[in-house]
């Protein structure tokens, strides 16, 4: 029954025709009748209230990475307001984590609902005492938006937790394949696991890519290779890495070189899987490496990668923590690849607000209870929020809208790149919704650009060494795009 | 100013005289005017609605560890209700995670508040865009209940995350001590960190104790030593362990033997710190090992342990994920020890609903931003919930109440242990509030006892191989204790 519900919702999502931009624009106006029409910068940045607020907070909490202290009560739609009343058009959206804009009325209703209040006040240990409505909450939400072919879900609390529990599932699966799914553990395994030694704690590994980002706890950080500052001083597992394609732009002028680069990387992946001293249980990959610089690869690359994992009997884990939930113009970015079979595991967090992983193979559920387990096993309140986000996206065709808006935005940026070829290089993300990025001339130029944008009322983020990434919410429209482009041009023209 | 606010709240908490039980009983009646007066078991267990609900949920979520599917709408105070309408007196409380009982009216108000709705709907990336009210939310909540001497907090999402970020802080601190707090990283460190190698990813370690439980992600799991089922098939760091005292009961009859056992364990800790091949950055310890069997040690042991950490220049991390927030008759269990100086770091989660760690030393904040960092850096909604939990506990002297109720409960259990000496052995937790446990004759007898208790309307959990642990909410009173004792006696008398 749950499967049917999910399939029906999913079919509806796929089959529904794309509405016209006009219809979509009125939706955003419905959501946000009082959305500002332009950014307003009233003070120098940071303003006096910000300075006070940072000083106060910094006594008890690390604020050195703070752009500013935000007033979320006044933030609205695509606009974020700081405590000085400065109003920014937001194309960063809490590091890609706001799907429907600030103070979305549907989300407010969901948050206020008796069901959500109940879930907060009586937060269950879902593994031992699941709540009576959790099956429906999942079916109507997280599973209604599940990627094609993946019909089960494990809920966790963060992107790091989602990836780490996925890795745990992969290790247990891989050892079960070797041992037999229902074969009991040996005495030696049992004893050695308690002292962190092989064979009970096997010397196995997860292969990740150079410049990947998969989180910052110990297992996920061992697969993160984005920047030294993420990794320095933290012990890590002896796990392998392979090169991620470094594509040349524009793509249409570099077809052969890019194909050769992807081939080189794939060969290296397979060579590493075959030769790494700690056997590889899974390969984890982002559809677009985000923190690491918005690095793209072609569908052919990912298809080839999946073939390699199948050929070598390792699992294929797609990390959609940042790429998922509509921003690329598909609900899940890996849908762009048209894989012949689904990935083994796909992880999510951020815009879903809930976190976890999807899977299908029943053998990815370990052979005994309490193996994939913790006190909370997720959070029904976040699953309720996810349900509304997914339902609003599906009901209002926000993925299709984002695809259109992204195409429009990309075209405008392409034109700007012609005008400012030094400042906008390696423009990327064509046909990937609003998941667009480019490179500045240098890290310093990038940092200055971001700062200048903020001074002009645009909240925007970087990635990699000199990348600028766009991560607006799914309610970002043509009119916001025009404003965004005008600010970028204003900054670049100086 | 924040410090003052915290100190004032803290002083008020310490200075306020303990109210009489009469006054406290009326508080619970105020909270829960409709709390059931006795458990009611209407069906065989699991009942027909449970079977249906489990079948439905199991299609998409692992339910093999489920005791039953709970109806949290009908649960009230100390009573949890299942989907068949069976009503259990609850001394397990979502694996020790419900502080104020089910559907607590103060918590419902907090959950419904505009502030909480705002925090849910506009969930911020707290490191980059902290919310305008976060400083006050922390000051009035998590910091109002902070352990003596620890005035800063890092917020995370789970007990595992709290411990892992604490370990990260310890590793960064330890390396900074070696390198100099503001000394730049070497080229070799930077390059090696990116391939998970030393010196950038140092081969350092956290020392934990045998039968400890600190969580189930890769770093925390490497310090967990409770049961093989928690660890099998998961790669782990080569980190050391030391024996935790195995005390003999009753304590007053085994003073010398227990002192010798604690001395033996402390000697082993120091020997291991001095000799382990991967240098030890921190020792992590639970005040009472909970999942591992409710294993206690004396204040002298923990004082000795702190002395060892100081003498060897390693950090002393106290994991209060399960022991914290009042259940032991102190707000934090380590307050029972009267340490001469606070621990370096104390972690929390569960009953706080929010998670994270407290600390004081400013050098435990890494020398650069983005080193201790992730997308959300906590969750203001959970901090709002924590604030109400802490405020209600402080305002209503629930820690003192729990101490009294625990003493009463312990006395009753002591009497039962005399009557049923085979069934109640190693009774422990005297003067530790309701954080009481005992051992059954065997693992099978324990499992049967838990099952028989449920059949008689008592929701109760185990720990370790044959332990029975009590983890009621802080609103568990004398009348609930009498009922609890009568059910235990009924089960044992069969």
């Amino acid at each position: 029954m749950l499967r049917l519900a999910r399939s029906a919702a999913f079919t509806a999502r796929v089959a529904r025709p794309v509405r016209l931009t006009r219809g979509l624009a009125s939706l955003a106006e419905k959501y946000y009748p009082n959305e500002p029409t332009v950014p307003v910068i009233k003070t120098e940045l940071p303003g006096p209230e910000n300075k006070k607020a940072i000083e106060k907070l910094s006594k008890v909490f690390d604020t050195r990475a703070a752009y500013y202290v935000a007033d979320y009560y006044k933030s609205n739609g695509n606009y974020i307001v700081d405590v000085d009343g400065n109003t920014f058009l937001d194309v960063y959206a809490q590091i890609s984590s706001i799907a429907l804009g600030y103070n979305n009325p549907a989300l407010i209703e969901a948050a206020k609902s008796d069901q959500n209040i109940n879930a907060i006040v009586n937060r269950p240990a879902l593994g031992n005492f699941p709540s009576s409505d959790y099956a429906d909450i999942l079916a109507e939400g997280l599973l209604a938006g599940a990627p094609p072919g993946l019909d089960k879900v494990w809920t966790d609390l963060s992107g790091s937790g989602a990836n780490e529990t996925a890795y745990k599932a992969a290790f247990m699966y891989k050892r079960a394949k070797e041992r037999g799914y229902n074969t009991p553990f040996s005495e030696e395994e049992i004893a050695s696991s308690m002292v962190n030694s092989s064979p009970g704690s096997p010397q196995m590994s997860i292969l990740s890519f150079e410049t990947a980002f998969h989180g910052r706890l110990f297992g996920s950080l061992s697969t993160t290779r984005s920047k030294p500052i993420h990794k320095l001083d933290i012990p890590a597992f002896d796990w392998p890495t392979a090169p991620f394609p470094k594509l040349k732009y524009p793509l249409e002028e570099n077809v052969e070189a890019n194909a050769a680069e992807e081939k080189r990387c794939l060969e290296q992946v397979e060579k590493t899987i075959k030769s790494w001293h700690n056997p590889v249980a899974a390969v984890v990959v982002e559809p677009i490496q985000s923190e690491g610089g918005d690095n793209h690869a072609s569908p052919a690359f990912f298809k080839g990668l999946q073939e390699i994992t199948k050929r070598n009997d390792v699992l294929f884990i797609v990390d959609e923590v940042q790429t998922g939930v509509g921003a690329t113009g598909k609900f899940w970015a890996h849908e762009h690849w048209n894989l012949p079979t689904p990935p083994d595991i796909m992880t999510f967090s951020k815009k879903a607000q809930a976190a976890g992983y999807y899977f299908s193979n029943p053998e990815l559920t370990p052979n005994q209870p309490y193996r994939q387990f913790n006190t909370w096993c997720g959070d029904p309140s976040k699953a309720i929020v996810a349900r509304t986000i997914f339902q609003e996206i599906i009901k209002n065709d926000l993925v299709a809208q984002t695809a259109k808006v992204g195409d429009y935005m990309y075209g405008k940026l392409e034109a700007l790149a012609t005008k400012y070829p030094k400042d906008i290089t390696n423009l990327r993300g064509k046909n990937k919704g609003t998941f667009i990025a480019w490179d500045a001339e240098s890290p310093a130029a990038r940092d200055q650009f971001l700062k200048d944008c903020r001074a002009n009322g645009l909240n925007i983020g970087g990635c990699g060494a000199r990348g600028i990434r766009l991560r607006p919410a799914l309610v970002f429209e043509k009119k916001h795009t025009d404003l965004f482009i005008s600010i970028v041009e204003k900054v670049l023209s100086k």
Side-chain angles (χ1 to χ4, degrees), chain A:
Chain A
M1 203 177 102
L2 282 179
R3 280 167 208 255
L4 277 177
R6 188 202 144 268
S7 301
F10 191 72
T11 309
R13 163 156 75 89
V14 171
R16 184 176 298 116
V18 175
R19 289 182 200 170
L20 296 175
T21 306
R22 180 185 301 275
L24 293 163
S26 66
L27 166 75
E29 281 156 24
K30 190 191 83 181
Y31 272 161
Y32 302 111
N34 302 315
E35 189 181 48
T37 51
V38 289
V40 179
I41 300 300
K42 298 177 170 179
T43 70
E44 57 175 358
L45 300 181
E49 292 303 320
N50 253 287
K51 285 179 188 160
K52 273 192 266 178
I54 288 285
E55 195 193 339
K56 183 176 173 184
L57 182 58
S58 67
K59 289 196 176 107
V60 294
F61 200 74
D62 187 1
T63 59
R64 291 169 302 169
Y67 287 38
Y68 45 78
V69 177
D71 184 338
Y72 293 103
Y73 298 92
K74 294 188 182 140
S75 300
N76 191 307
N78 293 285
Y79 288 84
I80 181 169
V81 179
D82 78 5
V83 289
D84 287 288
N86 296 306
T87 303
F88 305 84
L89 181 67
D90 194 359
V91 294
Y92 199 26
Q94 308 302 317
I95 319 180
S96 197
S97 298
I98 297 286
L100 303 177
Y102 295 105
N103 286 302
N104 182 281
L107 217 48
I108 291 173
E109 282 312 301
K112 282 181 171 173
S113 68
D114 289 345
Q115 192 175 43
N116 187 47
I117 301 303
N118 189 276
I120 293 171
V121 169
N122 307 304
R123 184 175 184 185
L126 282 167
N128 282 160
F129 308 99
S131 32
S132 49
D133 45 9
Y134 199 52
D136 286 337
I137 292 167
L138 292 177
E140 296 161 4
L142 287 174
L143 291 166
L150 303 184
D151 60 356
K152 298 180 191 71
V153 67
W154 168 259
T155 47
D156 206 86
L157 300 173
S158 68
S160 290
N163 283 330
E164 297 215 358
T165 48
Y167 299 170
K168 286 181 70 173
F171 286 122
M172 290 188 277
Y173 174 86
K174 187 77 177 170
R175 288 291 296 123
K177 281 296 225 194
E178 294 168 354
R179 181 197 293 120
Y181 186 72
N182 284 314
T183 304
F185 303 112
S186 71
E187 286 303 315
E188 191 189 2
E189 285 176 316
I190 290 169
S192 58
S193 76
M194 296 300 280
V195 290
N196 293 9
S197 294
S198 183
S201 303
Q203 300 275 348
M204 300 182 84
S205 64
I206 305 288
L207 184 147
S208 62
F209 286 90
E210 290 167 13
T211 53
F213 184 93
H214 300 291
R216 303 188 59 151
L217 298 173
F218 284 84
S220 48
L221 187 61
S222 291
T223 56
T224 284
R225 315 277 181 162
S226 41
K227 290 179 185 170
I229 201 70
H230 298 152
K231 293 175 71 72
L232 275 156
D233 292 349
I234 313 300
F237 287 109
D238 185 14
W239 291 354
T241 183
F244 193 81
K246 288 184 174 53
L247 299 190
K248 293 196 170 112
Y249 293 88
L251 293 177
E252 43 288 10
E253 291 173 23
N254 294 279
V255 173
E256 271 182 46
N258 287 339
E261 167 68 356
E262 293 194 337
K263 185 161 174 277
R264 178 186 78 86
C265 293
L266 288 176
E267 284 169 358
Q268 196 58 48
V269 169
E270 187 149 24
K271 196 173 147 194
T272 304
I273 291 174
K274 287 185 189 301
S275 64
W276 193 256
H277 45 280
N278 294 327
V280 175
V283 171
V284 62
V285 70
E286 297 157 274
I288 300 163
Q289 288 190 333
S290 305
E291 301 302 310
D294 267 39
N295 308 314
H296 293 246
S298 74
F301 173 79
F302 292 104
K303 279 184 191 163
L305 187 57
Q306 185 183 43
E307 282 163 21
I308 289 170
T309 59
K310 286 186 178 178
R311 196 154 60 223
N312 291 277
D313 203 18
V314 308
L315 292 175
F316 184 43
I317 303 177
V318 177
D319 174 349
E320 293 242 28
V321 167
Q322 186 151 170
T323 54
V325 193
T328 69
K330 301 275 186 188
F331 203 98
W332 303 105
H334 78 270
E335 294 180 56
H336 283 285
W337 308 336
N338 292 310
L339 294 175
T341 58
D344 296 297
I345 297 178
M346 195 213 78
T347 63
F348 63 93
S349 182
K350 285 190 177 265
K351 277 196 177 67
Q353 295 289 309
Y357 63 84
Y358 295 104
F359 65 108
S360 173
N361 184 344
E363 294 199 356
L364 278 168
T365 299
N367 65 347
Q368 289 181 46
Y370 291 107
R371 298 192 66 194
Q372 187 75 290
F373 193 83
N374 56 58
T375 298
W376 285 320
C377 300
D379 184 343
S381 169
K382 299 300 180 197
I384 287 166
V385 169
R387 178 177 60 185
T388 297
I389 291 169
F390 282 22
Q391 287 182 348
E392 289 295 308
I393 290 172
I394 293 168
K395 190 171 74 186
N396 298 303
D397 283 329
L398 290 176
V399 179
Q401 167 170 329
T402 300
K404 277 186 168 237
V405 170
D407 289 349
Y408 179 75
M409 185 185 273
Y410 190 90
K412 292 280 180 186
L413 284 166
E414 216 166 19
L416 272 188
T418 312
K419 203 164 162 188
Y420 303 97
K422 274 200 321 190
D423 303 304
I424 300 184
T425 61
N426 302 323
L427 182 65
R428 50 204 185 267
K430 190 173 185 176
N431 301 322
K432 293 293 187 311
T434 56
F435 215 96
I436 294 169
W438 68 87
D439 289 333
E441 206 177 355
S442 66
R446 188 268 310 271
D447 292 348
Q448 188 62 46
F449 175 81
L450 298 178
K451 202 177 161 190
D452 291 344
C453 283
R454 273 200 295 281
N456 283 282
L458 180 65
N459 192 56
I460 184 170
C463 62
R466 57 189 179 107
I468 291 140
R469 62 174 151 172
L470 307 185
R471 297 290 181 274
L474 307 184
V475 294
F476 202 82
E477 296 181 354
K478 183 173 173 297
K479 66 180 178 186
H480 306 108
T481 305
D482 290 334
L483 208 46
F484 156 73
I485 291 289
S486 74
I487 296 172
V488 170
E489 177 143 33
K490 185 176 168 195
V491 168
L492 292 181
S493 68
K494 270 186 191 155

